[in-house]
Amino acid sequence: AGHGTAVDVNFDFKDQTREAVFDKGQSRRIWGELHKVLDSSDVVLQVLDARDPQGTRCIWLEEYIKRECPHKHVVLIINKCDLVPNAVTARWLAILSKQHPTIAFHSSVTHPFGKGALINILRQFKKLHTDRKSISCGIVGYPNVGKSSVINTLRGKKVVNVAPLPGHTKVWQYVNLFKHIFLVDSPGVVHESHSNSTADAVLKGVVRVESLRDSAPQFIPSLLSRVSPHHLRRLYNV
């Protein structure tokens, strides 16, 4: 789903170590947890990072749902929209809304953005399922896009643990949003790891920077290929 980078980085890690670092979210157990969430969900909420919506989008998952279970609804949530200019968020909303209902979102228990709009969409979907007492909404996406934070924001309090690290959620969790609407948190899964270079994995937050050890500086050129050095100098005052 992500756009490639001009330079891939080769590591001298042993294969086993490299696999542990770069295949985060790819274990058979976590894939199993993801499919449990899909099977039990009437609505699939895919959380994207506003800084790279297309790069953190799971196209494979959307195609799978369309092909295997077209009765399920898909909603895109552009999370962390407070980290990009409003014009950028508005442009992505215009693009993504042509394919799925899309919400701009800022996760915060005290000062959220987009919470009311998302709740209204979920209530509309509940009205479509008059044949059942409740519906389940599975929350999926890349590691570290803020899935658990979205749940806490919707509930208005901390109900699932949050960490600024990829791979924090290990198993799926059921959360009661309203009397007839449930949320299901899932582990982050990078659905198309074969299309992500090692640089993509690092820049999208799939990999913990600490785990790169002495190889971290090798990714600086990839970062500079995406961000103007002028902006970095201005941001960090160097």
Side-chain angles (χ1 to χ4, degrees), residues 95-134:
I95 294 173
L96 298 176
S97 294
K98 295 177 181 178
Q99 301 170 54
H100 299 288
T102 306
I103 299 292
F105 204 85
H106 166 47
S107 296
S108 172
V109 172
T110 54
H111 299 95
F113 178 81
K115 175 180 177 179
L118 181 54
I119 288 176
N120 286 337
I121 286 181
L122 298 183
R123 284 176 168 160
Q124 290 176 32
F125 284 136
K126 174 60 184 72
K127 291 180 180 179
L128 293 177
H129 294 274
T130 55
D131 57 328
R132 60 184 68 183
K133 293 182 178 180
S134 63

Side-chain angles (χ1 to χ4, degrees), residues 55-165:
T56 52
R57 188 178 173 189
C58 307
I59 299 297
W60 176 92
L61 178 65
E62 296 174 33
E63 293 176 347
Y64 174 84
I65 294 173
K66 183 178 180 179
R67 182 180 66 252
E68 300 295 336
C69 35
H71 58 284
K72 296 182 185 292
H73 311 282
V74 175
V75 177
L76 303 180
I77 301 174
I78 306 177
N79 194 29
K80 306 182 182 182
C81 65
D82 55 307
L83 300 181
V84 299
N86 291 339
V88 173
T89 301
R91 180 60 178 155
W92 277 113
L93 280 172
I95 294 173
L96 298 176
S97 294
K98 295 177 181 178
Q99 301 170 54
H100 299 288
T102 306
I103 299 292
F105 204 85
H106 166 47
S107 296
S108 172
V109 172
T110 54
H111 299 95
F113 178 81
K115 175 180 177 179
L118 181 54
I119 288 176
N120 286 337
I121 286 181
L122 298 183
R123 284 176 168 160
Q124 290 176 32
F125 284 136
K126 174 60 184 72
K127 291 180 180 179
L128 293 177
H129 294 274
T130 55
D131 57 328
R132 60 184 68 183
K133 293 182 178 180
S134 63
I135 63 171
S136 296
C137 306
I139 299 187
V140 302
Y142 268 64
N144 214 30
V145 292
K147 298 184 294 297
S148 297
S149 295
V150 169
I151 291 179
N152 290 337
T153 298
L154 291 174
R155 278 298 309 271
K157 61 181 180 180
K158 180 180 178 181
V159 291
V160 292
N161 291 327
V162 176
L165 300 170

